[in-house]
Amino acid sequence: NRKRRPSHTWPHTSILERLGFTMTTFLFSRLPIPHRIAGFALTATFFILVILALARHNLRGDIVDSSPSASSSSLLRSQSHFASSEQHNEEAFVQFASTTESATGPGGEAPAEDDAPKSYYIFLQKFPLESSWIKVYHTEVIVCPRENFANDPAFLNMLDGSLKSLTPSQIDSTNIRSSVGDGVQNGFVAIEKDQWSKQSEPGCVQLGYGGANCSMGCCGSPHKHQNTNYALNSHQAVIGNAMTDHKELYFYGVSGSTAGGVDGISGEDAYKSVCHGHMNAIEMGGTLPKCVSNWAGQDYNPLTNNCNTFTSTVLKCVYGLSDAKPHLGVSDLITVKCPKEAKEDGAEVEQCLLPKMDKSFEVHSEEAIMSE
């Protein structure tokens, strides 16, 4: 007479698995099926929250350097030296409004402007976080001018050919959002490493966000020379705990016409749009509405306001592209809603468009300087 092994025991399972089975069987076996489902869902949620709480330090992505841009500070302070001369003051303001550290570079020389319309290619780079079992991810948006790929026509043709399957930008040349492309299902395409690893030309803009012990708007989004003179094949992330050797790259679309005629949104303008009144961690008056968040380092939350919330905002609210992400799981739980404000005539205006830097903006800038 052979003894039959009870059906609830397994010789090859771990003690934790047996304990989990025993607990769930004890708790839910006598409940109705709908209650069992709800109970299992609540239990799973509880364990996920416990894991996230225990791993909060490892899952938090802190930026490498949250200090303000030195050249932007000097540009701001230069305005006060011309306060007695309206002409000089206006020239100083124009210099600030049209340049940041990346535009001037470390030597402080502004690049020559090209009147030809420019288009910009929008990418998303993805890194797993250290000590996350490659289950939690950090993303950044990379914006590259078309001319960056002029020496590699095969790569450029591949990108242009991919546009047919991608959702086009829903923001037209007049900064009005439309519903064009809603029926196109592909928000992005993966770029093979053997293709993007050859793109060593600097000149792209790296847009990323992380936590930091700072409270000024956009101080959690570094915007220095290394971020604004970025090469597409770079493995550098804005945070310190990204597994940069595991970089993946995805192509989302183009801002501007690839055939010329329509200016696209540059990486510089995208930064100004998402930061909306906060430039290089320097407050510019505080009169502009925030673009989803103020993106201060202290605003960072691993679940509700993280790096992936930031990249969704840039993709969706600034460029009008898809904010779908490549298999981020619990790293990307928030669906971003692009904020709007109603004008006096009832029309709704996007809040994440490039802010106009007019005279009132200049006055607030000088007040910020004098209050230091």
Side-chain angles (χ1 to χ4, degrees), residues 276-347:
H276 230 224
H278 315 290
M279 299 296 294
N280 293 303
I282 298 172
E283 293 291 342
M284 298 303 297
T287 59
L288 295 172
K290 67 182 181 181
C291 178
V292 178
S293 168
N294 281 325
W295 308 116
Q298 294 178 353
D299 292 338
Y300 182 90
N301 182 287
L303 292 178
T304 61
N305 195 61
N306 60 20
C307 58
N308 304 307
T309 318
F310 180 83
T311 53
S312 291
T313 301
V314 175
L315 292 170
K316 183 177 181 179
C317 302
V318 176
Y319 283 106
L321 298 169
S322 170
D323 62 343
K325 302 285 179 54
H327 311 295
L328 297 190
V330 296
S331 306
D332 191 29
L333 299 177
I334 302 300
T335 300
V336 168
K337 294 183 179 180
C338 301
K340 299 178 181 180
E341 60 178 347
K343 298 177 65 176
E344 293 181 358
D345 58 2

Side-chain angles (χ1 to χ4, degrees), residues 121-125 141 163 166-169 186-189 191 249-254 315 321-326:
Y121 288 68
I122 318 301
F123 302 89
L124 183 87
Q125 59 184 14
V141 172
L163 291 174
L166 292 174
T167 305
S169 173
N186 295 327
F188 55 85
V189 294
I191 307 297
L249 190 73
Y250 300 86
F251 177 49
Y252 274 70
V254 173
L315 292 170
L321 298 169
S322 170
D323 62 343
K325 302 285 179 54

Side-chain angles (χ1 to χ4, degrees), residues 5-25:
R5 180 183 289 118
S7 59
H8 63 274
T9 63
W10 302 282
H12 302 295
T13 56
S14 67
I15 295 176
L16 288 177
E17 289 175 318
R18 296 181 188 182
L19 179 60
F21 174 79
T22 302
M23 289 178 59
T24 52
T25 301

Side-chain angles (χ1 to χ4, degrees), residues 91-129:
E91 290 174 356
F93 171 70
V94 170
Q95 183 188 24
F96 167 76
S98 61
T99 61
T100 59
E101 181 176 11
S102 64
T104 59
E109 296 180 1
E113 292 292 330
D114 186 358
D115 292 334
K118 293 185 178 181
S119 56
Y120 300 89
Y121 288 68
I122 318 301
F123 302 89
L124 183 87
Q125 59 184 14
K126 169 186 171 184
F127 307 98
L129 295 186

Side-chain angles (χ1 to χ4, degrees), residues 65-83:
D65 186 3
S66 62
S67 60
S69 160
S71 66
S72 296
S73 300
S74 63
L75 280 173
L76 279 171
R77 286 178 172 81
S78 68
Q79 292 182 347
S80 62
H81 295 301
F82 298 114

Side-chain angles (χ1 to χ4, degrees), residues 82-273:
F82 298 114
S84 61
S85 170
E86 182 177 355
Q87 180 180 0
H88 287 172
N89 190 44
E90 184 171 318
E91 290 174 356
F93 171 70
V94 170
Q95 183 188 24
F96 167 76
S98 61
T99 61
T100 59
E101 181 176 11
S102 64
T104 59
E109 296 180 1
E113 292 292 330
D114 186 358
D115 292 334
K118 293 185 178 181
S119 56
Y120 300 89
Y121 288 68
I122 318 301
F123 302 89
L124 183 87
Q125 59 184 14
K126 169 186 171 184
F127 307 98
L129 295 186
E130 295 174 352
S131 304
S132 71
W133 309 282
I134 312 185
K135 297 295 183 182
V136 180
Y137 299 95
H138 168 80
T139 61
E140 299 171 355
V141 172
I142 308 298
V143 182
C144 299
R146 180 181 175 86
E147 55 265 27
N148 258 46
F149 312 123
N151 294 328
D152 192 347
F155 183 72
L156 192 57
N157 290 336
M158 181 274 296
L159 294 178
D160 289 341
S162 301
L163 291 174
K164 298 178 182 178
S165 64
L166 292 174
T167 305
S169 173
Q170 295 183 359
I171 297 178
D172 61 22
S173 59
T174 60
N175 284 333
I176 301 298
R177 185 179 294 274
S178 66
S179 60
V180 63
D182 282 348
V184 181
Q185 70 274 20
N186 295 327
F188 55 85
V189 294
I191 307 297
E192 297 296 330
K193 184 175 182 179
D194 62 350
Q195 294 177 313
W196 61 258
S197 60
K198 301 175 184 177
Q199 309 307 315
S200 59
E201 185 71 22
C204 302
V205 176
Q206 176 191 28
L207 300 170
Y209 173 67
N213 187 25
C214 61
S215 59
M216 301 185 76
C218 250
C219 65
S221 180
H223 197 65
K224 299 187 177 184
H225 181 66
Q226 64 266 31
N227 309 114
T228 55
N229 201 38
Y230 197 83
L232 193 61
N233 69 348
S234 173
H235 287 259
Q236 188 66 42
V238 301
I239 64 172
N241 60 329
M243 299 174 66
T244 56
D245 289 341
H246 291 72
K247 170 177 171 173
E248 298 175 13
L249 190 73
Y250 300 86
F251 177 49
Y252 274 70
V254 173
S255 178
S257 172
T258 57
V262 179
D263 266 328
I265 300 173
S266 68
E268 288 291 341
D269 284 346
Y271 178 81
K272 294 175 183 177
S273 298

